[in-house]
């Protein structure tokens, strides 16, 4: 026993040492191949083994409890206010989803029995599954759909996801008709809990503190929640999807990145999303690492509103174009993100079918001399400003540092200020920023609406005040209702052509997340082509030999 314990202690110390070295010297490889988990876990006093398992009725095993950590704490459970990934993920797991994204990022019906569009696409009739109940036993009704749409469209931060919906007519308890502003080819994405998290309409209306203790029509229900501090959820016995393999999940906030990696390495954490890129290939073999293509971009987000915190610093579009030209995107991809991402040539990542390439100034290739000329033409010799960046997102601080170094060559001096998730999100929400190293992930339609139209980013950056903004809004609206792929791409190209000279965002590289898990294969998945929606395996999926969300 003494020799066995000694070997375990030595193994754990070796794992910790390896992680520490990696975090100090940075990532040392560019392979995206996942590390296969071993069949044996190493433990020592003060650490924990893989989660204990118990037999399930389907013949597999269930896990009583796991502990996970993301980029920050759960800030809110109100989908009309949520923007950070941890809050979004917990809302999706603990509230009603008409549609839920599978592991491939495709929306699949969950509470919906059927969705029937009219011939012209101007109405969509939703029929709920029979007998749906929230975790407290109250029924899920069509009125909950109507009220959710009304709340989101009344100034909700995620209203852009359901911009195509005009209003909702309730036919009976299980039938609602979505009356559309236009036929919306992206409608199913908006009907997920990313924007349409169902809750009992009467309880939301009568209880001002409802979202501190919500009931659930999702796979889990909230059992303990203090905003910005603690969060625990347990399996919802009334969920339509049936029993889950993992019965309880505790979400913890570990602001220090080194500590977070060490806790995953030693078993104190079972899953971490958004690991530091420097941790790549450095964790012990029982931790499986994998990257998720989140379907988005890392950007430099500028406050171009002369009435905003930055004043007129970035108001001239030539300054913003010059900044885009001055940045070496390839170096950011190779250094900050260890070659796991690609430099962008257009505003958005290379999405299938409708995303054009080569739309950024000089196709996204660095040209410092051209950048200096634009600065001279604008009559600007120097700019000093603060660039906020999340301190807990993998590769972001390093990317921001490289951007700042590149921009010094044209007289733009950005002081990089790492802050926690709450500060970073709050600064943008309250227009209290000059520049932000940012990351976006959504459908191309939603992104163009947010950046170039009347959505969250365009509003908070002041982009809605640029000349001829109404013309690009008209193009976005036309794109939203166009179902022909070739025509959608043409409209997307026109929108980005407008953006090439007005530059609302300085796009840098496509966005990925590096995640790590100690859980058995298949128990937890992260949906591709989403910001990182977590999917938990059901007992039925386990019994059929299927991974979560497959």
């Amino acid at each position: 026993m003494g020799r066995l314990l000694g070997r375990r202690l030595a193994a754990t110390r070796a794992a910790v040492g390896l992680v520490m070295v990696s975090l100090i010297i940075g990532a040392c490889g560019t392979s995206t191949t996942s590390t296969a988990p071993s069949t044996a876990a190493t433990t020592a006093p003060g650490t924990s083994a893989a989660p204990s398992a118990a037999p399930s009725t389907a013949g597999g095993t269930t896990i009583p409890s796991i502990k996970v950590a993301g980029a920050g704490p759960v800030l809110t459970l109100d989908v009309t206010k949520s923007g950070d990934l941890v809050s979004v993920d917990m809302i999706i797991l603990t509230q009603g989803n008409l549609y839920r994204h599978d592991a491939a990022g495709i929306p699949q019906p969950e509470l919906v029995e059927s969705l029937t569009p009219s011939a012209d696409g101007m109405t969509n009739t939703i029929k709920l599954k029979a007998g749906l109940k929230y975790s407290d036993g109250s029924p899920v009704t069509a009125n909950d759909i109507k009220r959710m749409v009304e709340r989101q469209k009344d100034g909700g931060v995620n209203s852009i996801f359901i911009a195509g919906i005009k209003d909702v007519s309730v036919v009976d308890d299980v039938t609602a008709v979505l009356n559309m502003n236009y036929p919306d080819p992206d409608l199913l994405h908006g009907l997920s809990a990313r924007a349409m998290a169902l809750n009992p309409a009467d309880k939301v209306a009568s209880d001002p503190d409802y979202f501190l203790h919500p009931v659930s029509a999702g796979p889990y229900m909230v059992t303990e929640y203090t905003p910005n501090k603690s969060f625990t959820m347990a399996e919802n016995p009334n969920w339509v999807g049936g029993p889950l393999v993992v019965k309880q999940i505790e979400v913890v906030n570990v602001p220090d990145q080194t500590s977070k990696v060490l806790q995953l390495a030693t078993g104190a954490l079972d899953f971490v999303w958004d690991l530091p890129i420097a941790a790549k290939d450095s964790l012990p073999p029982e931790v499986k690492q994998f990257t998720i293509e989140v379907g988005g971009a890392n950007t430099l987000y500028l406050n171009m509103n002369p009435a905003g915190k930055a004043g007129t610093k970035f108001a001239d579009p030539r300054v913003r174009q010059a900044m885009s030209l001055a940045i070496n995107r390839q170096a950011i991809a190779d250094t900050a993100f260890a070659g796991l991402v690609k430099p962008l040539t257009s505003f958005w990542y290379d999405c299938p079918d409708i995303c054009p390439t080569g739309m950024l100034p000089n196709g996204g290739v660095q040209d410092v001399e051209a950048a200096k000329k634009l600065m001279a033409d604008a009559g600007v010799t120097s700019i000093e400003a603060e660039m906020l960046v999340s301190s807990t997102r993998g590769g972001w601080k390093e990317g921001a540092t490289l951007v700042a170094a590149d921009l010094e060559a044209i007289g733009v001096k950005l002081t990089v200020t790492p802050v926690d998730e709450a500060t970073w999100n709050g600064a943008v929400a309250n227009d209290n920023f000059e520049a932000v190293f940012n990351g976006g992930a959504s459908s191309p339609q939603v992104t163009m609406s947010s950046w170039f139209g009347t959505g969250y980013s365009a509003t908070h950056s002041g982009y809605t005040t640029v000349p001829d903004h109404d013309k690009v809004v008209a193009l976005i609206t036309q794109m939203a209702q166009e179902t022909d792929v070739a025509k959608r791409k043409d409209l997307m190209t026109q929108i980005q052509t407008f953006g090439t000279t007005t530059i609302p965002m300085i796009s840098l590289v496509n966005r990925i997340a590096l995640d790590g898990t100690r859980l058995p294969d298949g128990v937890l998945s992260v949906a591709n082509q989403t910001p990182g929606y977590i999917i938990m395996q059901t007992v039925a999926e386990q019994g059929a030999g299927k991974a979560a969300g497959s």
Side-chain angles (χ1 to χ4, degrees), residues 130-221:
L132 295 174
K133 293 181 179 180
Y134 290 102
S135 53
D136 68 346
S138 58
V140 179
T141 71
N143 192 50
D144 299 338
I145 300 174
K146 175 180 173 66
R147 184 57 187 140
M148 183 64 255
V149 169
E150 291 170 348
R151 290 185 63 246
Q152 194 65 269
K153 294 184 79 69
D154 185 23
V157 298
N158 293 306
S159 61
I160 199 165
F161 288 88
I162 55 170
I165 302 176
K166 180 181 180 181
D167 55 37
V168 178
S169 302
V170 174
V171 178
D172 55 40
D173 284 349
V174 296
T175 311
V177 178
L178 308 181
N179 302 303
M180 307 299 292
N181 291 311
Y182 46 77
D184 186 354
D186 292 326
L187 176 63
L188 299 188
H189 290 284
L191 294 183
S192 77
R194 182 65 177 88
M196 285 287 294
L198 293 198
N199 289 275
D202 57 342
K203 289 182 172 63
V204 174
S206 63
D207 183 356
D209 294 326
Y210 172 80
F211 287 105
L212 295 178
H213 49 79
V215 298
S216 175
Y220 291 89
M221 56 186 181

Side-chain angles (χ1 to χ4, degrees), residues 40-64:
T42 301
T43 62
T47 69
S48 63
S52 59
S56 75
T57 56
T61 56
T62 59
I63 299 171

Side-chain angles (χ1 to χ4, degrees), residues 8-180:
R8 286 178 172 174
L9 282 167
T12 300
R13 288 176 183 139
V16 172
L18 184 58
V19 172
M20 289 296 291
V21 169
S22 175
L23 289 174
I24 292 169
I25 67 174
C28 57
T30 59
S31 170
T32 59
T33 304
S34 298
T35 302
S38 69
T39 57
T42 301
T43 62
T47 69
S48 63
S52 59
S56 75
T57 56
T61 56
T62 59
I63 299 171
S65 181
I66 65 172
K67 186 179 289 188
V68 306
V74 181
L75 301 177
T76 181
L77 293 176
D78 184 347
V79 76
T80 67
K81 300 176 181 179
S82 59
D84 65 290
L85 176 58
V86 178
S87 296
V88 167
D89 258 330
M90 296 311 105
I91 289 169
I92 289 173
L93 286 171
T94 63
Q95 295 178 32
N97 287 249
L98 292 169
Y99 282 77
R100 183 179 298 277
H101 291 84
D102 63 17
I106 300 170
Q108 303 291 348
E110 182 164 295
L111 301 183
V112 171
E113 179 67 34
S114 64
L115 186 148
T116 307
S118 61
D120 61 1
M122 293 301 289
T123 64
N124 288 277
T125 301
I126 291 177
K127 182 80 71 173
L128 292 171
K129 292 178 179 177
L132 295 174
K133 293 181 179 180
Y134 290 102
S135 53
D136 68 346
S138 58
V140 179
T141 71
N143 192 50
D144 299 338
I145 300 174
K146 175 180 173 66
R147 184 57 187 140
M148 183 64 255
V149 169
E150 291 170 348
R151 290 185 63 246
Q152 194 65 269
K153 294 184 79 69
D154 185 23
V157 298
N158 293 306
S159 61
I160 199 165
F161 288 88
I162 55 170
I165 302 176
K166 180 181 180 181
D167 55 37
V168 178
S169 302
V170 174
V171 178
D172 55 40
D173 284 349
V174 296
T175 311
V177 178
L178 308 181
N179 302 303
M180 307 299 292

